[in-house]
Amino acid sequence: MSLPRIIAYGVLTLAVWKLIQRRASRKANALNVAGPEKDHWFKGNLESMFVDGFERSLKVAADYGGLVKIHGLFGEKWLYVSDPRALHYILVKEQHIFEENDGFLCCNQLIFGEGLISTLGEQHRKQRKMLNPVFSTSNMRELLPIIQTISNQLKSILVANLSDHTSVEFDVLPWLSRSALDCICEGILGYHSNAMDTGNNNEYIEALRMLGPFIGKTMFFRSLVPIVMRNLSLYWRKKILDWITLSWLPTETMKNLRELRRIVEVMDSASRTIFEEKKVALNQPFPTPSQSSWETRGRDIMSIMLESNASSSEADRLSDAELLGQMNVMIFAGLETTTAAVGRVLYMLAKHPHIQERLRAEINDTMTAYQSSGVHSHAKDNNGSVRLSYDVLMSLPLLDAVVRETLRVYPSLPVLTRRNIEATSLPLQFPVRSASDEETSTVLVAKNQRFVMSILAANHNQAVWGEDASDWKPERWLDSSQGETPGVKNGVRYTGVYSSMCVASNSFVTYVQLNVLQDDLPCRRSFLHVRCQFF
């Protein structure tokens, strides 16, 4: 047996042994809560619940309640949480004792660098302090013309692919991904990616589009990454990755790891180049011909962040590595969530033509009134179409209801993960069954317990949202005749930033939705017979 293979097997053995030790150390603190049987000796319940597991995840919460014991890798016990009081305890009341899991942090650091989702403690707090004002409402307003221009370009491309027939089957998802990438790159970097040009062979843009799928394909390696990073130097980590991707792993696994590594290297190289160009461009009073790609110079998020960082005190200032990490994280997070959310909006409108017609009437009436007022006659694009302002878009009740309901039923990020750094007692709003089949409203949790917080299950909780919780009904946000606020029942509500919903998404989602839905595009009957491949 060759030396590289011996070393690779040794590292894998060490990682497995560490996981077994961790599992054994928790046996004395067995979770006194019920849950489903293990589906697989190695994968536990993870694959069935979190890989195309929409229905399975909801069924587990419905069968066992808001706190469920599930099986992770190597038989490790995790807690699957959707109870409103438990989520408030974890995310708000005692958030200081709950941190991201090591695997999540270490993998993000390897892929994105020192961004917000790769850090803890004081470094994380400093980054949040810098980023919060960057995403102010006033800065978001500045991005609206950028998104309107790209959404109109998307409209032109899609309409060009329609025929005169009453029904056309057309896969819109790739185009939504490309338009979202254009919005994210221009809005965050001020960089014109030209992703909607299918003849544009940009290696960086293609790497961004492929990053999400390949992260998903390698998710089962996440638990091993912290062990390797803590015990080996950077040199040996790279060497071992070279060996295992070229030798002994199954063919498909080798291919996925090798491709993910290539994607990360391409993304890192291009991001560093763009970042350095951005810093140089911001120091020049006027754009030069070589800066033709920086069409949104000064109004994009990266420009605002660099300027804010430069004017901060030495103690609050972020390093270039941290700024580069924020850039990588925002692009990736914005791309996947935006594509999923806009795709779902169009899909649900196609399935509910009566809502589609009402939304069409609302948008058309608003555009007519906006144009006839004369006050905003200058708010038009190059084709003479009216561009609704930020405030007008935000005030459309049915459009707002469609956005809210889509994010509720299909949250762009369905789960969050945490671990507790102290032993604690987790309170519950709704009692669950213990392992001995007794009812309990409080569960004792040992230190370093892993939690999966299900935004999806929380947003489908019938005890809070009603028996029709899983139905897509935008009118629930418009009908106040029952005297109850959506998502609030008998005084019980979820902790959330958007009308009692658990929403884990970014600010670009709402704005892109608003503008793709503008200008009558999704209300064309021929367009809305679409095929969106979500599963």
Side-chain angles (χ1 to χ4, degrees):
M1 184 180 293
S2 65
L3 178 61
R5 183 169 294 186
I6 292 174
I7 294 175
Y9 275 122
V11 171
L12 181 61
T13 301
L14 172 64
V16 172
W17 174 245
K18 291 284 187 180
L19 289 173
I20 293 174
Q21 281 185 319
R22 186 167 64 187
R23 179 190 175 191
S25 68
R26 292 179 182 170
K27 272 197 169 183
N29 300 300
L31 291 169
N32 187 29
V33 63
E37 294 295 323
K38 187 189 305 182
D39 296 318
H40 189 272
W41 71 270
F42 167 56
K43 300 175 184 178
N45 304 119
L46 298 189
E47 186 171 49
S48 64
M49 291 183 63
F50 306 120
V51 179
D52 294 336
F54 186 93
E55 297 296 339
R56 167 70 164 160
S57 296
L58 294 181
K59 188 176 188 307
V60 166
D63 289 346
Y64 295 96
L67 191 68
V68 187
K69 178 176 63 179
I70 62 174
H71 300 270
L73 298 178
F74 295 105
E76 186 180 10
K77 305 299 189 297
W78 293 8
L79 280 174
Y80 184 67
V81 188
S82 59
D83 181 88
R85 182 174 294 175
L87 289 177
H88 181 270
Y89 185 84
I90 295 170
L91 296 173
V92 180
K93 186 177 180 181
E94 300 293 335
Q95 59 177 290
H96 60 283
I97 68 171
F98 293 91
E99 295 181 346
E100 283 285 5
N101 292 320
D102 292 347
F104 179 82
L105 293 169
C106 291
C107 289
N108 288 338
Q109 186 178 4
L110 289 175
I111 295 171
F112 304 112
E114 297 182 38
L116 192 65
I117 61 174
S118 310
T119 56
L120 292 172
E122 184 57 34
Q123 185 183 18
H124 183 81
R125 285 189 287 273
K126 188 171 73 169
Q127 291 182 6
R128 284 184 64 97
K129 182 179 178 180
M130 174 64 66
L131 288 174
N132 283 339
V134 169
F135 286 94
S136 65
T137 300
S138 60
N139 289 337
M140 294 299 99
R141 289 174 188 270
E142 292 295 321
L143 298 179
L144 187 58
I146 299 170
I147 300 173
Q148 285 174 325
T149 299
I150 294 169
S151 63
N152 284 334
Q153 183 183 357
L154 173 63
K155 171 188 174 181
S156 299
I157 292 173
L158 295 179
V159 169
N161 283 275
L162 301 178
S163 69
D164 295 331
H165 298 92
T166 57
S167 179
V168 175
E169 183 177 278
F170 185 70
D171 187 3
V172 300
L173 206 56
W175 290 106
L176 295 180
S177 176
R178 290 178 180 276
S179 64
L181 186 53
D182 273 346
C183 286
I184 300 304
C185 284
E186 294 215 29
I188 291 177
L189 304 180
Y191 173 71
H192 185 57
S193 63
N194 201 23
M196 281 192 284
D197 180 2
T198 55
N200 177 25
N201 297 318
N202 187 317
E203 191 177 30
Y204 173 57
I205 300 305
E206 191 59 28
L208 291 175
R209 293 183 64 232
M210 298 306 298
L211 180 60
F214 277 94
I215 288 177
K217 292 176 182 178
T218 56
M219 65 174 292
F220 289 109
F221 288 92
R222 180 170 290 182
S223 295
L224 305 179
V225 172
I227 299 170
V228 175
M229 289 186 68
R230 290 195 189 99
N231 292 279
L232 297 172
S233 67
L234 178 61
Y235 172 83
W236 284 108
R237 294 202 302 263
K238 289 183 176 179
K239 280 291 185 184
I240 290 171
L241 185 59
D242 288 337
W243 293 330
I244 64 176
T245 54
L246 294 175
S247 56
W248 57 276
L249 287 175
T251 304
E252 192 63 28
T253 304
M254 285 193 295
K255 179 181 176 181
N256 292 336
L257 278 174
R258 191 183 305 121
E259 184 61 15
L260 178 59
R261 184 184 190 184
R262 186 195 69 80
I263 288 171
V264 171
E265 289 173 348
V266 169
M267 185 179 72
D268 180 66
S269 176
S271 296
R272 290 178 185 276
T273 299
I274 294 172
F275 179 68
E276 292 302 323
E277 290 179 359
K278 190 67 173 174
K279 290 200 299 182
V280 171
L282 288 173
N283 291 326
Q284 296 182 5
F286 302 103
T288 63
S290 62
Q291 295 167 331
S292 58
S293 63
W294 303 100
E295 296 182 1
T296 56
R297 183 173 176 268
R299 293 186 297 159
D300 54 89
I301 295 299
M302 204 65 203
S303 294
I304 297 169
M305 192 187 309
L306 287 172
E307 291 171 355
S308 177
N309 193 59
S311 62
S312 298
S313 65
E314 188 68 30
D316 293 334
R317 197 170 298 161
L318 303 185
S319 67
D320 281 1
E322 289 177 295
L323 291 170
L324 187 63
Q326 313 311 330
M327 166 182 157
N328 290 333
V329 167
M330 286 188 289
I331 292 174
F332 170 72
L335 173 61
E336 296 296 326
T337 57
T338 298
T339 301
V342 178
R344 283 292 184 188
V345 168
L346 296 180
Y347 180 67
M348 299 313 293
L349 288 174
K351 292 183 65 176
H352 300 82
H354 64 291
I355 300 294
Q356 177 192 147
E357 290 298 333
R358 288 173 56 194
L359 181 59
R360 177 182 186 178
E362 179 181 81
I363 294 174
N364 282 342
D365 291 347
T366 302
M367 291 180 70
T368 300
Y370 191 74
Q371 187 171 19
S372 62
S373 67
V375 178
H376 308 284
S377 58
H378 62 284
K380 294 183 179 181
D381 59 25
N382 295 332
N383 297 321
S385 299
V386 176
R387 284 188 170 183
L388 300 180
S389 70
Y390 174 93
D391 292 329
V392 171
L393 285 170
M394 295 299 287
S395 68
L396 298 179
L398 181 56
L399 180 56
D400 184 65
V402 167
V403 171
R404 290 174 189 263
E405 185 69 350
T406 303
L407 289 177
R408 184 190 70 83
V409 180
Y410 302 105
S412 298
L413 188 62
V415 296
L416 298 172
T417 60
R418 291 290 189 275
R419 68 179 181 90
N420 57 316
I421 59 177
E422 298 177 9
T424 188
S425 179
L426 198 65
L428 300 174
Q429 184 75 51
F430 303 105
V432 298
R433 308 304 297 182
S434 68
S436 56
D437 201 33
E438 298 176 352
E439 195 172 82
T440 180
S441 296
T442 305
V443 175
L444 297 177
V445 181
K447 180 181 177 181
N448 283 328
Q449 174 61 49
R450 292 178 181 267
F451 297 83
V452 178
M453 293 172 290
S454 179
I455 297 170
L456 177 66
N459 289 352
H460 287 250
N461 188 343
Q462 293 186 8
V464 176
W465 292 94
E467 294 183 359
D468 61 352
S470 293
D471 296 339
W472 187 81
K473 296 175 63 176
E475 55 268 25
R476 75 173 74 240
W477 302 99
L478 304 172
D479 185 9
S480 58
S481 60
Q482 302 300 318
E484 285 192 338
T485 302
V488 180
K489 194 169 184 179
N490 299 325
V492 178
R493 60 174 295 167
Y494 276 101
T495 296
V497 296
Y498 201 7
S499 301
S500 303
M501 287 190 297
C502 290
V503 177
S505 191
N506 64 64
S507 54
F508 274 99
V509 171
T510 301
Y511 299 110
V512 177
Q513 285 176 334
L514 292 172
N515 286 283
V516 169
L517 291 174
Q518 191 184 337
D519 289 342
D520 193 29
L521 172 60
C523 302
R524 295 172 177 265
R525 287 192 177 276
S526 57
F527 173 72
L528 277 177
H529 291 271
V530 296
R531 174 171 54 90
C532 292
Q533 298 174 334
F534 291 104
F535 303 105

